[in-house]
Amino acid sequence: MKRSQPSRLLVRQRGAALLMAMVIVTVVATIASSMVWQQWRAVQVESAERGRQQSEWLLVGALDFARLVLKEDGRRVQTGGQPEPTHLAQQWAQDLKEMRLSTFLAVDKDNTDDAPDAFLSGKVSDINARYNLRNLLLISPNPGLVDVDPQQVKVLRDLFTNINLPPDLAPQIAEALRKATLAAMDTTQSFAALGGESGRAAAPLMPQRLDQLTWLLPKLGADTVERMRPYVALLPYLNVPQGGITAINVNTAPKEVIAAVWGIDTATAERIVRTRQSHYFEDVAEAQKQVPIVPIPADAIQVTSEYFEVTGILRLENQIMKNRHLVKRSGQARQIDVIVMNQERFSGVDPGN
C-alpha cells in the first residue's frame, strides 16, 4: 500500500528543518569561536602593551637613577674647592649587575604576582673616553667651508691600527663625513662645495648615532662598527658651524685611545692606565709627567667628562628591551644638570651580546 502524499511531504519538511537547524548551529558556533578568539587576542594585545609600558617605566626609572648618580658625582670637590676629576673609582662607573625584579619587590607583602621573573641590568659609560669622529672635520665659521683635518685623520689611523682595523678606513670615513656634513648644511656655499646637484645627491646621509656609520661607506659593515664602539663616538654638533675638538679623558680612556691621541705607543699608554688605577690624575700637567718627552697635543686631553652613555637592559626569558641614552652633564656645584641628548632602543630576541 502506497504512502499518501501528505506523509512524504511531512518527511521532507522534517529533513529540511533538521538541515536548517544544523546550519544555524554551525553559524552560531563559528560566530562564537570568532568572538572568543577576538576576545583572547584583545587580552593578549592588552597584556603585551601593559608589559611594554611597564618595561619602559622601569628603564626610565633606571635612567633617572643614573642621572642622579652622575649629578652627585659631579658635585664632588677636592680639598682646594676645585671640582673632582672624572675617574673610574666614582659611583657612576659601577655597573648594575643583572638582578631579579622580584628582589626589589620582596618588601611588598601583598605582591603575589606569579609572572615569569624579569631581570634588570645597566651601566654608565664615559663617552669622553672615546675618540669623537667629529674631530676629523675643520668647520669654518663661514657656512659651507668644511675640510678634513689631516692631523686628526692620522690620529684615527693610529687608533685603527691599535685595535686591528684597516687604517685606510680613516681617510675614507673622514671624506664621507665631510660630504654628509656639507649636504646637511644645505647652504649655497655647501651646495657649490659638493659640486652641484649631482654631488649633493651622491652625498651620504648625516649619521646621528654610531650605528648609522654604515650610511657613510658601503664597506663599513655593522660588525666593524661594533668593533669600533668601545673606542670611538659620534657626538652631536652643539656649535655648528664652529665645530671644535672634543678632548678625551685620560682618567677613563682605554690605552688604545690614549696612545693614538697622545702620539705614544700602546705600551706607554698601558703604563699610564696602570698608574691612574692607584690614583687618578688631578690635572693634565700631572698626566704629562708620565711622558715628559712627548708633549700632549693642544686641547686633546682633559681630566673631566661631559658626555656619558646610559644603557639599561630588561630581560624576560629570551626577550630583551635595551635602551641607550646619550646624556650631557654640565654646570658645577649645586647647579649641575644632566640632560638627555638622544636615545637608541632595541626590543626583541636576545642577540647574545
Side-chain angles (χ1 to χ4, degrees):
M1 185 178 193
K2 294 183 179 180
R3 291 185 180 182
S4 64
Q5 185 68 23
S7 298
R8 292 197 296 269
L9 180 60
L10 182 60
V11 171
R12 287 198 298 268
Q13 288 177 345
R14 289 177 177 175
L18 181 59
L19 181 60
M20 181 61 68
M22 294 176 63
V23 171
I24 292 174
V25 170
T26 302
V27 171
V28 170
T30 302
I31 294 174
S33 299
S34 177
M35 293 175 61
V36 170
W37 180 85
Q38 290 181 0
Q39 183 68 23
W40 173 84
R41 182 176 178 274
V43 171
Q44 293 297 107
V45 170
E46 181 181 355
S47 177
E49 180 64 18
R50 182 178 59 187
R52 183 188 65 81
Q53 290 183 353
Q54 290 175 344
S55 300
E56 289 183 353
W57 294 340
L58 286 167
L59 292 175
V60 168
L63 171 65
D64 289 340
F65 177 73
R67 293 174 62 197
L68 178 62
V69 170
L70 287 170
K71 281 185 180 181
E72 291 301 318
D73 281 337
R75 290 170 179 161
R76 296 177 182 272
V77 295
Q78 296 176 302
T79 305
Q82 296 297 320
E84 184 179 271
T86 308
H87 55 88
L88 296 176
Q90 292 177 327
Q91 187 178 0
W92 66 263
Q94 311 306 312
D95 295 349
L96 174 64
K97 304 299 182 183
E98 191 172 73
M99 298 182 64
R100 284 187 176 90
L101 288 181
S102 58
T103 303
F104 301 101
L105 302 176
V107 295
D108 185 3
K109 303 302 182 182
D110 296 328
N111 180 30
T112 59
D113 188 5
D114 58 352
D117 270 335
F119 297 84
L120 180 67
S121 61
K123 65 177 181 179
V124 178
S125 304
D126 184 1
I127 298 301
N128 282 112
R130 308 174 187 177
Y131 177 77
N132 183 14
L133 294 177
R134 307 286 190 192
N135 292 354
L136 294 168
L137 302 182
L138 293 170
I139 303 179
S140 170
N142 298 320
L145 299 180
V146 180
D147 292 316
V148 174
D149 188 342
Q151 183 177 355
Q152 294 299 317
V153 172
K154 180 183 181 304
V155 171
L156 188 59
R157 289 179 67 98
D158 292 343
L159 176 57
F160 283 170
T161 300
N162 294 341
I163 62 177
N164 297 319
L165 284 179
D168 290 341
L169 278 177
Q172 298 176 36
I173 291 175
E175 180 59 24
L177 194 58
R178 183 187 75 87
K179 292 179 179 179
T181 303
L182 287 171
M185 286 181 173
D186 196 22
T187 63
T188 303
Q189 294 86 347
S190 63
F191 182 78
L194 286 170
E197 184 61 37
S198 60
R200 184 168 64 176
L205 293 174
M206 170 69 79
Q208 302 297 327
R209 305 189 303 266
L210 203 63
D211 291 337
Q212 298 170 348
L213 281 180
T214 54
W215 296 354
L216 295 179
L217 296 172
K219 65 167 58 177
L220 199 60
D223 55 340
T224 302
V225 172
E226 286 303 312
R227 289 176 61 187
M228 294 165 53
R229 185 181 293 277
Y231 309 100
V232 303
L234 195 66
L235 295 177
Y237 285 126
L238 298 183
N239 53 346
V240 171
Q242 286 75 19
I245 299 297
T246 303
I248 66 163
N249 186 348
V250 70
N251 281 320
T252 58
K255 63 181 180 180
E256 294 85 355
V257 176
I258 295 175
V261 172
W262 196 332
I264 56 180
D265 58 84
T266 53
T268 303
E270 185 175 6
R271 177 169 56 83
I272 293 173
V273 171
R274 288 200 302 266
T275 301
R276 79 185 185 199
Q277 289 176 349
S278 58
H279 184 71
Y280 59 86
F281 300 116
E282 298 185 3
D283 51 40
V284 176
E286 185 177 346
Q288 179 68 79
K289 294 178 182 178
Q290 302 299 315
V291 193
I293 60 175
V294 182
I296 296 176
D299 302 324
I301 286 179
Q302 60 189 17
V303 294
T304 57
S305 297
E306 291 181 291
Y307 294 97
F308 300 85
E309 183 181 76
V310 180
T311 303
I313 302 175
L314 186 67
R315 181 173 65 85
L316 179 62
E317 296 179 346
N318 67 332
Q319 300 291 320
I320 69 168
M321 178 178 287
K322 178 190 293 185
N323 282 1
R324 285 197 188 104
H325 292 86
L326 176 66
V327 301
K328 182 183 180 184
R329 183 174 66 184
S330 58
Q332 57 183 356
R334 309 302 297 181
Q335 303 300 320
I336 286 182
D337 193 15
V338 179
I339 60 175
V340 178
M341 305 298 294
N342 60 47
Q343 69 171 354
E344 304 174 53
R345 177 175 298 172
F346 171 84
S347 180
V349 179
D350 189 354
N353 52 6

